[in-house]
Amino acid sequence: LFAFVPAFLVLAEAMSTTGISLWLAQVFFPFAASRNVAFISGYVTMLFCNLFETLPATLIVFKMIDSVPMWRPDAILAAGAATAPLLRDARRAALSAVIFGSNFGANTACIGSLGGLMMRRLAALQGVTVSNAMLLKQGIPVMIPVMFVACYTLVHQTTL
């Protein structure tokens, strides 16, 4: 674990430095002034959790959010009184949805979290086989609607 965390910090920073984070962040651009970006952020994080693991997925999505030019502090200040609050709210919604995605996304595959890997190992010690296919089959029908409800609630709050 001591090498795991720094390795992914370096990976996330390298993605930011090389422009990969900005390239990936383009998925947020059409929603940069809308809280609806929470849906994109949450589901992207959820997907990345199933491909990597919660820690690297979260770091990568945070770097993507930091790469959105419209959400940089100087851009928000320059946006004017009408647009600046929309940009700030959208950024907050995107960041908040990462929390949902990293928690809900980890429930759909064994690799989604260290807890999933430990659960799989403990189950194996008891003679129970837990496969990724089994978790996906049971997790996706539950987690996709849960993510939708969480993001919908976030989007429709009066304040963030």
Side-chain angles (χ1 to χ4, degrees):
L1 281 179
F2 290 115
F4 181 75
V5 174
F8 281 109
L9 288 170
V10 169
L11 172 68
E13 194 58 40
M15 289 178 69
S16 180
T17 302
T18 60
I20 294 171
S21 293
L22 177 60
W23 180 75
L24 291 171
Q26 291 178 29
V27 71
F28 299 130
F29 291 6
F31 302 97
S34 170
R35 286 187 187 182
N36 288 329
V37 73
F39 290 101
I40 306 298
S41 179
Y43 282 108
V44 165
T45 305
M46 194 169 152
L47 173 67
F48 283 6
C49 283
N50 287 291
L51 297 175
F52 311 118
E53 198 272 330
T54 54
L55 179 64
T58 302
L59 290 171
I60 290 167
V61 178
F62 277 147
K63 282 296 183 180
M64 288 168 60
I65 290 169
D66 278 345
S67 298
V68 175
M70 294 76 79
W71 290 342
R72 292 198 177 118
D74 56 338
I76 292 174
L77 286 173
T83 308
L86 298 175
L87 293 171
R88 255 191 302 278
D89 271 0
R91 186 175 189 278
R92 285 186 193 130
L95 289 169
S96 297
V98 172
I99 297 166
F100 298 149
S102 65
N103 283 288
F104 301 150
N107 293 314
T108 55
C110 292
I111 197 167
S113 71
L114 292 175
L117 295 171
M118 291 189 302
M119 177 271 305
R120 188 177 190 179
R121 175 72 177 136
L122 291 172
L125 291 174
Q126 300 299 316
V128 177
T129 301
V130 177
S131 68
N132 278 326
M134 183 180 92
L135 279 177
L136 283 169
K137 182 180 172 187
Q138 294 186 5
I140 286 184
V142 174
M143 289 300 112
I144 287 179
V146 166
M147 174 63 79
F148 181 84
V149 170
C151 289
Y152 181 87
T153 303
L154 177 65
V155 167
H156 290 90
Q157 288 184 12
T158 54
T159 60
L160 284 180

